[in-house]
Amino acid sequence: MLDLAPIDLLLPNPPPDPWTAERYLEVLHPRDGRGVVGGLTFRGSHLHSFTLSRDILPAAASTLTEQEAYVALNSYHGPRGGERRLAGLNAVWLDLDTYRVPALAELDRREAADRILSAISGAGLPTPSLLVDSGRGFYSVWLLSGAVPAALPRWRAVMRALTKWAKPLGADAACVDPARVLRLPGSWHEGASRRVAIVSGDGARHAFEPLADAIWHAAGRPSRRDFDATRSTRRRQNRPEGCGAVQHPRGLPRRAFWAAIQRDLDMLLDRWGGVIPHGMRDIWLHLYCCALTWDEAGADVL
């Protein structure tokens, strides 16, 4: 009599679960996370803004995919927008308008996706948590773990550096604000006449600091460790002989002071709807550039 192995040992490993809108929302905004989730839907010419609690996101997925739907990647305490309401930084992303890049626009969707992943790997960046075919372009998303709202200034600098690096891939430089919404996988793209779909990725999360350093390296900029070492060296070289440690006056250290100024300027910009009023542009830009010189992304001043 044959000694047969259990039937489950003879079967191949089951394929991984497909990426559905429900699974995407659960990975992007886990139930144990902070804040609520905002987004937009289009039905015909009607625009609707929504804010949903995390526990009902899976149930809402089927309704959202019946229309053109966009979901914010970061979470807020209330309606999205406004630095004080930011609950968590969930991701770093690229919005790639590949249809604007002739070398990518002439490829089929699979080849274009492979070209993007090859460029990311060649730059020393980790594989994206998700690569989304948005219909006409792609979204490359790196999910974050443990990034708190206080990291917002560094997060903004990372987004600017990443977008600048990816310009040859069609990166949209305007899609770098924390309240940005991206098309929901599984939803319909009316202009492209197709559904948005995830083409690759495992949904893994990345620690923010190592990812930020990898992005600095890809963009040809020093990491935070390199920057701090260079600043310390310059301070030692510029310190007069016999001079002791520099004593700051009471109050905030200069770096923290200018970080506070930058946050206030960002709040003003949000209050103005993203457009600096005439008569305020010179002073706003002057103060913002002064603040950037104290940030590790001082190269962004120009």
Side-chain angles (χ1 to χ4, degrees), residues 204-233:
R205 291 190 173 270
H206 301 267
F208 179 55
E209 290 300 336
L211 177 61
D213 282 344
I215 292 172
W216 293 134
H217 179 76
R221 302 182 183 182
S223 66
R224 168 176 281 188
R225 179 178 298 177
D226 295 336
F227 184 86
D228 289 341
T230 301
R231 173 174 287 181
S232 297
T233 300

Side-chain angles (χ1 to χ4, degrees), residues 258 261 284-295 301:
W258 281 107
I261 295 295
W284 190 95
L285 287 169
H286 171 73
L287 292 173
Y288 206 86
C289 286
C290 289
L292 284 178
T293 62
W294 286 93
D295 185 19
V301 172

Side-chain angles (χ1 to χ4, degrees), residues 29-218:
H29 295 289
R31 295 197 182 198
D32 58 354
R34 301 179 62 190
V36 294
V37 182
L40 300 170
T41 58
F42 281 94
R43 188 182 291 274
S45 59
H46 298 287
L47 171 66
H48 173 67
S49 178
F50 65 83
T51 301
L52 300 173
S53 61
R54 294 168 183 268
D55 57 339
I56 66 172
L57 272 180
S62 58
T63 301
L64 292 174
T65 53
E66 293 175 357
Q67 51 207 310
E68 291 198 73
Y70 301 76
V71 173
L73 278 76
N74 294 322
S75 57
Y76 285 82
H77 294 297
R80 62 188 176 87
E83 182 175 330
R84 291 186 178 181
R85 292 198 302 273
L86 182 64
L89 295 166
N90 294 336
V92 168
W93 62 84
L94 285 170
D95 182 357
L96 302 174
D97 294 334
T98 53
Y99 63 92
R100 299 181 184 273
V101 182
L104 295 174
E106 63 187 15
L107 302 176
D108 64 36
R109 305 303 292 173
R110 183 67 257 180
E111 289 176 330
D114 289 342
R115 188 73 62 84
I116 292 168
L117 292 173
S118 178
I120 290 172
S121 176
L125 294 173
T127 302
S129 308
L130 301 165
L131 184 64
V132 182
D133 183 342
S134 61
R136 299 173 65 191
F138 292 86
Y139 302 139
S140 180
V141 180
W142 289 266
L143 299 177
L144 300 176
S145 62
V148 297
L152 182 58
R154 181 158 166 79
W155 180 91
R156 291 183 189 272
V158 166
M159 288 290 291
R160 291 192 295 266
L162 181 62
T163 302
K164 186 175 181 179
W165 167 81
K167 185 177 180 180
L169 298 175
D172 187 345
C175 294
V176 296
D177 54 295
R180 177 66 52 173
V181 294
L182 299 182
R183 289 183 182 271
L184 173 66
S187 64
W188 183 253
H189 189 311
E190 186 66 33
S193 298
R194 68 173 71 179
R195 289 199 178 274
V196 180
I198 296 176
V199 296
S200 71
D202 56 5
R205 291 190 173 270
H206 301 267
F208 179 55
E209 290 300 336
L211 177 61
D213 282 344
I215 292 172
W216 293 134
H217 179 76

